[in-house]
Amino acid sequence: MDFRHHICAPDMLGSTPCDALLLVIAGDQGDTALAAPLAAALKDATAHGDFAFKAGRLLYLHRPQGVKAQRIVFAAAGGKAATMAAKEFRNAVAKGLGLLKESGAKHLAVGMAGDVELGAAHAEALVAAVHDATYVYRGTKPSAPAASALSKVSLLCRKADAKAVAEGLNRGQAIAQGVLLARECANRPGNHCTPTYLAEQAQKLGKDHGCKVEVLDRKAVEKLGMGSFLAVAQGSHEPLRFIVAHYEGAATNVAPVVLVGKGITFDTGGISIKPAAEMDEMKFDMGGAASVLGTLRAVLELKPKLNLVCIIPSCENMPGGAAIKPGDVVTSMSGQTIEILNTDAEGRLILCDALTYAERFKPAVVVDIATLTGACVVALGHHHSGLFTADDALADQLLAASRAALDPCWRMPLDEEYDEALKSNFADMGNVGPRAGGAITAAMFLRRFTKNYAWAHLDIAGTAWKSGAAKGSTGRPVPLLTHFVLARAG
Ligand code: BES
Ligand code: MN
Ligand code: ZN
C-alpha cells in the first residue's frame, strides 16, 4: 500500500484526482467550508434524513457534481469542529472504508471536510485503519479473496500540517509493517507456527535488516539452568527455542530497553487441561512474542537511537507422559523454587527464566508482554491491555505511549499484599493463587524475578486477538510498544 500526503485547500477537495474521495466531517454543524455543489448535496441529504452530523453516520454519493472522483463518501466523526481527535478520525475513516470496500476503487483520497488541523497522530491512525480494513490472512488459506482493490491512499491536508502528516504517515507505515508481521505469525496455526518457526521469523528479520539474532536450543537452555522454562517444554515433542534479538541504534555502553514476549505456540493447559470449547484460540498464546517481533520490525524501519534487546522463550504446553504434574517442584534460573500447582499457569513459568536472563544486559528497563491470564480479560475486557508496574514514572511512559498509539492499556494494582497468595509449603512459591485477582497474582509472581531492574508487565490476554466471526490476531500491542521505544530514544 502506497501512502502519500497532498496539500489541498478545503474548497479544492473536489478537484483531487482519485477513484474515491472520503471526507471526514468534524463537529455537529454543517459549516464545512466545502465547494458549493458538495455543500448543497450535503445540506439536502441532511434535510431528508439521509445524513446527520453524528459520529458513525455516512453519506455515499455516486458521480457527484463538482468532484473528480467517481464517488464520494462523507463520514461524520462527531466531536468539536475546531479540533479532531485522532481516535474519532480513525473511527470515521474505518466506517467510510467499510462502505467503499466493494467499490473497486484503487486510489483513495482522504481529507477533512473543512479547515481542520491534522497531525501526525491522524496520519498514523489513517494508515492503521486502511491496513485494518484491507488485511486478509492467507498463510494457510491461499484462496482467501482480497478485501479490496485499494493500492494507493492520499491524505489531503493543509500546508501548515504537511510536515507532521508526512511524519505520521512514515511512522504509521513502519508500525503497520510490525502489526502485519505480528498478525501473520499469531494467525498461523500451532502446527505451522512452532517455536522453530518463530525463531526462523526472528532470523529472517536479522538477515533482512542486519541485526544480531541468537537462537538457543534445549541444550543451551539446560546449561543456563532454566528449570522452569524447561519444565513447561518437557511435555511436548516440539523442540523449544529461546530467541534473543539485538537492535543496536546507540553506543554499546548505552543500557538497552528489553522486551520479553511469551511465546507459547499452543497452550492446551497441560495436565491441568483446558476445556475443548475455543481451545483452538490458544494458538494465539504466542501473541506477546509476535508483538515483540512486530515491534522489532517497526524499530528496524525507523532506526531510533537506542539499544533494544528482544527475548522470546517459546515452547508448547502439552499433556503427556513426560509432562509436568500438579505438585511438581522445579528450580528456576534465579535459584528460587516453584511448586507447579496448575500446569495451565505456564506463561509465568517460561517468562520468569527469561526475566532472569534479561539481567545480563543491565537493562534500562524491561517490559514483558504476555497473553497471561483469563482473569485480565474478566477485569478489563477487550479494549485495554493490563499494565502492571510498581514504577510510577514507567507507568506514565507506557500509558502515554498507549494513548499516542491509540492502543490503550490500563494500570492495575501491584501492592505487596497480593504476594501472600503465592505462598507454598513445598517451594519458595506456588505458580498460582486463588481465583480472585488472578491477573494481579500472576504479575506478582513475575515481580519476584525482576528485583534488579525497572520493570513493567503487559497482560494482553484480552487484546491480542478477537473471537467470533472476526476471529484473528489484532497485532496489538505493537503500536503501544513502538511508541514506547521511540519515546525512550528521545
Ligand atoms: N494463555 C492462558 C491465558 C488466557 C486465557 C489467555 C484465556 C486468553 C484467554 C494462560 O496460560 C492460562 O491458562 N492462564 C490460566 C491461569 C490460571 C490457571 C491461574 C487462566 O487464566 O485460566
Ligand atoms: Mn495456560
Ligand atoms: Zn498460556
Side-chain angles (χ1 to χ4, degrees):
M1 194 74 62
D2 180 23
F3 288 90
R4 307 209 175 158
H5 72 282
H6 286 287
I7 295 165
C8 183
D11 57 340
M12 295 300 288
L13 292 166
S15 43
T16 309
C18 59
D19 301 326
L21 180 60
L22 170 56
L23 292 183
V24 175
I25 305 181
D28 54 4
Q29 307 120 36
D31 177 23
T32 54
L34 288 170
L38 286 180
L42 203 56
K43 198 171 166 205
D44 190 60
T46 308
H48 290 88
D50 289 70
F51 186 70
F53 295 93
K54 253 199 242 155
R57 291 297 300 267
L58 298 168
L59 178 67
Y60 191 107
L61 301 176
H62 182 64
R63 290 193 185 281
Q65 208 198 329
V67 175
K68 274 207 177 145
Q70 289 245 346
R71 50 194 79 78
I72 181 168
V73 169
F74 288 103
K80 297 220 161 40
T83 56
M84 162 93 297
K87 184 172 162 179
E88 288 160 352
F89 180 71
R90 179 199 61 190
N91 293 347
V93 167
K95 272 266 179 190
L97 288 170
L99 201 53
L100 286 164
K101 217 173 190 169
E102 261 127 34
S103 71
K106 291 194 184 82
H107 178 197
L108 169 73
V110 180
M112 291 299 303
D115 193 20
V116 180
E117 180 179 352
L118 291 178
H122 300 87
E124 223 181 291
L126 169 71
V127 179
V130 168
H131 276 272
D132 219 38
T134 54
Y135 172 74
V136 179
Y137 171 74
R138 248 177 255 289
T140 49
K141 189 182 177 183
S143 65
S148 85
L150 210 57
S151 62
K152 183 175 171 189
V153 180
S154 304
L155 180 51
L156 311 176
C157 66
R158 311 181 310 177
K159 192 166 183 209
D161 303 338
K163 191 164 170 268
V165 163
E167 268 172 33
L169 289 177
N170 189 47
R171 193 187 311 139
Q173 281 172 280
I175 292 172
Q177 291 303 311
V179 167
L180 181 68
L181 175 62
R183 294 178 85 171
E184 286 289 281
C185 285
N187 283 334
R188 216 167 259 274
N191 64 325
H192 291 250
C193 180
T194 59
T196 307
Y197 179 87
L198 280 183
E200 284 165 5
Q201 294 306 299
Q203 274 160 334
K204 186 167 182 307
L205 274 184
K207 218 172 142 208
D208 293 351
H209 297 86
C211 79
K212 195 172 89 190
V213 177
E214 304 165 78
V215 176
L216 310 189
D217 61 6
R218 169 180 295 276
K219 263 204 179 134
V221 167
E222 273 168 4
K223 220 167 159 188
L224 286 163
M226 296 188 178
S228 188
F229 176 33
L230 283 162
V232 177
Q234 78 189 31
S236 172
H237 295 294
E238 201 60 60
L240 68 79
R241 290 291 180 262
F242 190 86
I243 306 161
V244 188
H246 305 259
Y247 163 77
E248 283 157 7
T252 33
N253 62 348
V254 177
V257 170
V258 177
L259 300 179
V260 179
K262 172 178 172 182
I264 294 289
T265 56
F266 198 82
D267 180 12
T268 64
I271 298 298
S272 314
I273 200 161
K274 288 180 180 295
E278 281 149 34
M279 205 210 270
D280 66 291
E281 295 188 5
M282 283 301 131
K283 72 175 182 179
F284 295 119
D285 211 16
M286 36 56 75
S291 75
V292 169
L293 287 179
T295 302
L296 176 61
R297 175 80 177 81
V299 163
L300 288 167
E301 205 71 48
L302 295 168
K303 301 186 177 66
K305 290 189 174 63
L306 89 170
N307 293 325
L308 176 69
V309 180
C310 296
I311 304 178
I312 295 172
S314 182
C315 67
E316 282 184 342
N317 186 24
M318 296 289 284
I324 39 170
K325 306 168 292 296
D328 283 1
V329 173
V330 298
T331 304
S332 67
M333 185 181 176
S334 72
Q336 300 176 88
T337 59
I338 303 162
E339 184 185 12
I340 301 174
L341 291 164
N342 189 320
T343 65
D344 198 11
E346 86 297 340
R348 61 200 78 180
L349 295 174
I350 72 167
L351 288 169
C352 68
D353 282 341
L355 289 167
T356 300
Y357 184 85
E359 285 180 5
R360 69 185 50 208
F361 301 113
K362 301 193 170 51
V365 60
V366 178
V367 180
D368 79 74
I369 307 97
T371 50
L372 203 63
T373 66
C376 193
V377 189
V378 174
L380 293 174
H382 300 287
H383 294 296
H384 285 81
S385 304
L387 164 63
F388 302 79
T389 178
D391 185 326
D392 291 341
L394 180 53
D396 289 344
Q397 287 172 24
L398 284 159
L399 287 166
S402 87
R403 275 191 289 269
L406 302 184
D407 184 1
C409 67
W410 194 263
R411 191 174 181 187
M412 300 277 280
L414 203 61
D415 303 65
E416 200 57 49
E417 284 83 347
Y418 291 100
D419 199 63
E420 189 97 0
L422 296 172
K423 272 194 176 155
S424 159
N425 289 349
F426 306 104
D428 293 331
M429 70 197 88
N431 76 328
V432 295
R435 256 171 71 87
I440 306 167
T441 45
M444 290 306 286
F445 179 96
L446 297 177
R447 202 180 76 122
R448 289 175 173 233
F449 299 85
T450 59
K451 298 288 183 189
N452 297 328
Y453 46 68
W455 164 77
H457 157 62
L458 288 168
D459 193 331
I460 58 165
T463 54
W465 77 87
K466 287 186 175 140
S467 308
K471 189 191 287 186
S473 164
T474 60
R476 290 179 65 187
V478 169
L480 186 170
L481 292 170
T482 306
H483 272 264
F484 171 71
V485 170
L486 292 179
R488 293 285 310 199

